[in-house]
């Protein structure tokens, strides 16, 4: 059974989250401020942390920074009322795996949580040779790509970009992250090559697959 630490100070939201996760077979605990969050997270075993940014005392971004600094490696999903691009970017840079903006649908958060647990291997415990998301299947052994039952021709670079997205479903990837993953660190960060290649993938795999997150980057939709 997966264990989720909910870091949130609003009782209405903690109740809603606990009820939702428990109904879906998760174990939960709640930390109501930043100091408690750090203590709980480091003292006990968790598979994932839901982290509110607006907390009394130590705020969520400081909590995240401290946890990552102490070697806490489990997935963290930021929950924030602030529709603030800078907070999201900072959160991702500090090591958050994903974020959800309030108000949110529980189903969306649950899908993100399951996607993170699949990637971290906690849910399946094994390395997948076929990555799947939406109607896309990418076979790492044969390097074949299918959209539904249609075989799609991808160049080596397009394949690596698609693989990067499929390994991080529902996660916002910045242009810099994608450049680093696919083209390596020595690429000109001002280049628009990521946008060009996302365009190629959309053309070959479907427009709906990769969503543009304005000012941040791109996100692969894991379900249609
Ligand atoms: Ca709050």
């Amino acid at each position: 059974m997966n264990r989720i630490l909910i870091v949130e100070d609003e009782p209405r939201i903690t109740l809603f989250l606990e009820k939702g996760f428990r109904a879906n077979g998760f174990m939960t605990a709640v930390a109501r401020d930043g100091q408690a969050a750090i203590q709980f997270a480091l003292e006990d075993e968790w598979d994932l942390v839901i982290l509110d940014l607006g907390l009394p005392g130590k705020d969520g971004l400081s909590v995240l920074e401290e946890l990552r600094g102490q070697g806490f490696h489990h997935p963290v999903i930021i929950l924030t009322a602030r529709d603030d691009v800078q907070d999201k970017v900072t959160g991702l840079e500090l090591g958050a795996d994903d974020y959800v903006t309030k108000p949110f649908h529980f189903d969306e958060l649950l899908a993100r949580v399951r996607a993170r647990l699949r990637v971290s291997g906690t849910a399946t415990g094994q390395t997948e040779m076929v990555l799947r998301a939406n109607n896309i299947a990418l076979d790492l052994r044969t390097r074949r790509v299918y959209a539904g039952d249609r075989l799609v021709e991808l160049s080596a670079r397009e394949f690596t970009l698609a693989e990067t997205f499929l390994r991080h479903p529902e996660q916002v990837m910045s242009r810099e992250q994608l450049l680093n993953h696919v083209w390596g660190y020595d690429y000109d960060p001002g280049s628009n090559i990521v946008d060009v290649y996302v365009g190629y993938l959309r053309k070959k795999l479907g427009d709906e697959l990769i969503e543009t997150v304005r000012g941040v980057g791109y996100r692969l939709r894991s379900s249609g």
Side-chain angles (χ1 to χ4, degrees):
M1 186 179 286
N2 288 128
R3 292 168 53 93
I4 296 182
L5 177 60
I6 299 166
V7 182
E8 168 64 72
D9 59 316
E10 280 178 59
R12 193 173 49 87
I13 298 177
T14 57
L15 264 175
F16 170 70
L17 291 176
E18 284 203 284
K19 220 172 98 186
F21 283 120
R22 287 180 180 176
N24 283 280
F26 293 88
M27 278 179 60
T28 58
V30 174
R32 296 183 195 284
D33 62 57
Q35 208 50 56
I38 291 168
Q39 193 185 334
F40 286 14
L42 297 175
E43 274 178 2
D44 216 332
E45 276 297 311
W46 305 101
D47 297 303
L48 186 140
V49 174
I50 306 280
L51 178 63
D52 180 33
L53 289 190
L55 293 169
K58 202 182 267 284
D59 71 68
L61 290 175
S62 309
V63 170
L64 177 62
E65 190 170 22
E66 188 161 339
L67 285 179
R68 290 306 190 214
Q70 303 235 19
F72 183 84
H73 64 274
H74 297 289
V76 173
I77 297 179
I78 289 176
L79 200 60
T80 174
R82 308 179 203 174
D83 194 16
D84 183 332
V85 170
Q86 192 49 50
D87 272 353
K88 292 168 186 168
V89 173
T90 307
L92 294 170
E93 282 173 357
L94 288 175
D97 296 273
D98 202 353
Y99 64 81
V100 174
T101 306
K102 296 175 193 169
F104 59 92
H105 288 285
F106 183 77
D107 285 349
E108 185 196 356
L109 178 61
L110 183 64
R112 301 275 179 90
V113 165
R114 287 189 166 139
R116 298 323 310 164
L117 291 174
R118 267 199 303 280
V119 170
S120 71
T122 317
T124 61
Q126 49 184 294
T127 317
E128 300 282 342
M129 291 308 287
V130 179
L131 301 174
R132 290 174 205 279
N134 222 307
N135 69 334
I136 307 301
L138 192 137
D139 190 321
L140 297 174
R141 272 171 304 197
T142 62
R143 301 194 59 87
R144 285 195 163 169
V145 183
Y146 295 88
D149 49 17
R150 182 169 58 90
L151 180 62
V152 182
E153 290 279 341
L154 293 187
S155 71
R157 202 68 96 176
E158 290 166 352
F159 187 94
T160 308
L161 182 61
E163 180 185 347
T164 304
F165 275 118
L166 269 90
R167 285 190 186 280
H168 303 87
E170 297 292 346
Q171 183 180 338
V172 179
M173 306 286 291
S174 70
R175 284 177 181 76
E176 288 71 27
Q177 281 175 310
L178 293 167
L179 272 176
N180 291 343
H181 270 99
V182 181
W183 284 270
Y185 282 88
D186 56 355
Y187 220 90
D188 171 15
S191 157
N192 71 340
I193 195 156
V194 170
D195 310 85
V196 171
Y197 271 78
V198 165
Y200 293 159
L201 285 188
R202 281 176 173 155
K203 202 173 243 175
K204 291 183 175 182
L205 300 176
D207 278 340
E208 298 298 302
L209 184 65
I210 300 167
E211 176 190 2
T212 302
V213 182
R214 196 178 290 271
V216 186
Y218 294 102
R219 166 161 54 208
L220 179 93
R221 292 197 172 109
S222 63
S223 59

